[in-house]
Amino acid sequence: MTHLPHEPRGAAPSEVTDWHALLAGDTPDAGNGSATGPTSTIGSGGAGDQPMTRREAREAERRAVEEPEPEVYEPRKPSRAERRAAAAPDFHDHDPEHARTKRRGPWGCLVGLVVVAALAVGAFFFLQGPINAVIERFTPAADYSGTGTGEVTFMIHEGDTGSSIAQNLVDEGVTASYDAFYDLLVEQSPEPEFHPGAYRLAEEMSAKAALDALMDPANKLENTFVIPEGTAIDDVLVAISEGTSIPLEDLQAAAAEPPANYGLPAEATTLEGFLFPATYTLDPDIDAHGVLQTLVDRQFEALDAAGVPADQRWHTIVLASIVQREAGSNLDDFPKVARVFQNRLDQGMNLESDATVAYGTGNTHTVWTTDAERADASNPYNTYANPGLPIGPIGNPGDVAINAAVHPADGSWLFFVPVNLATGETVFSTTVEEHEAAVAQLQAWCAASEENAAYCE
């Protein structure tokens, strides 16, 4: 809004220039030091008036003709309606100024409320982060109470930190939250020392109960190890060594034996895919080859239970290993993921699995890949650049993945993408357009918060 210049509040009024004198050629009074002379009243006829020049007289005569005489105000009698209005109890209802105020009032209040609401909303979003931080600081982390129920065999691996142990406890249902265990851990003095191996814990333990159990040597299980579903062979060997007294070098040497020594299909070049994921407690006198044979035999049992003929073991294990890595934690999605890959195989489409590409690059702990990695046809596990199944399994599948590969769900899907990496929610699509919309949904989820973005790295 542009403001017009005005006199400062409390200043004296500006003097008025005598334009008539200037037009007549008279100069201002030199004695007053101002560009404007004193105000004169033209044609007043009062005492002390200066005589008018002929030009001034003509100007005065012209104005007298052009300007009408001022009307004399004569009050009129009020009408009956006006008299009745004046006699009404609420005189303000007939006051024009008050009426305008009343009409203006509700809209002014509404505008004010809108402005206040907008400011409140803006302040809420601006302060939401700091407020949440303060709330989180003074809100205790979620925690269970007591020593829990049931039994969980929990593995601590070589190189695990307090942070990774805290996260693994949550992932396996032992503790309620990461913060409950980790915050307790950093309060300890001296700092606890964790030793690799298998430990007997329970479900839904308090953070303190879980920490006490991990510090108690009586809870360490001898000759026991856990192989999670989808674990690649290198990590399997490490887990076995940590849970037993068998050196890692001995296990690596046993795994390098010809796969035929373990009864694997002729297509196999390693034991990958045939080391069944489970919890094992073995005889302390067993050697490295005996341990691996135990895991292979257990995988054959799973294949037989799923009704897989011996001549289909290789195909089933390769497909199941991809399903295991791609389907995540939602068990209901396993048959759908298997159907997507089977539909693509049936229609001659490339599988386009990021998990296979990542495995071929040596990164067995993620399914995220780069454009360059997906374009590298020299990677024999690259199912973007190469048709059909990869040259071998990309991990060791469990019962659920094997059954999904044997009995895929009914559907025409050709694509799938997770749209919430925290919950594992996945969208299955038949057309490219549907799939692109789901990808956009994932991108939006990743960008929604720093916590979400951490999942997408």
Side-chain angles (χ1 to χ4, degrees), residues 262-263 265 273-274 276 293-314 316-317 320 397-403 406-407:
Y262 295 92
F274 289 88
F276 187 78
Q293 187 66 66
T294 299
L295 272 63
V296 169
D297 291 344
R298 179 64 184 83
Q299 186 66 286
F300 288 159
E301 291 177 12
L303 290 168
D304 292 342
V308 179
D311 62 351
Q312 292 296 311
R313 284 177 173 175
W314 177 253
T316 301
I317 284 294
D399 285 320
V400 176
I402 291 172
N403 279 283
V406 176
H407 306 289

Side-chain angles (χ1 to χ4, degrees), residues 127-140:
L127 298 174
Q128 187 175 19
I131 290 173
N132 288 341
V134 172
I135 293 174
E136 290 177 3
R137 180 178 179 84
F138 293 99
T139 301

Side-chain angles (χ1 to χ4, degrees), residues 312-334:
Q312 292 296 311
R313 284 177 173 175
W314 177 253
H315 175 93
T316 301
I317 284 294
V318 174
L319 179 56
S321 71
I322 302 173
V323 173
Q324 184 75 69
R325 292 295 306 278
E326 290 278 11
S329 59
N330 191 339
L331 301 184
D332 292 337
D333 286 342
F334 277 59

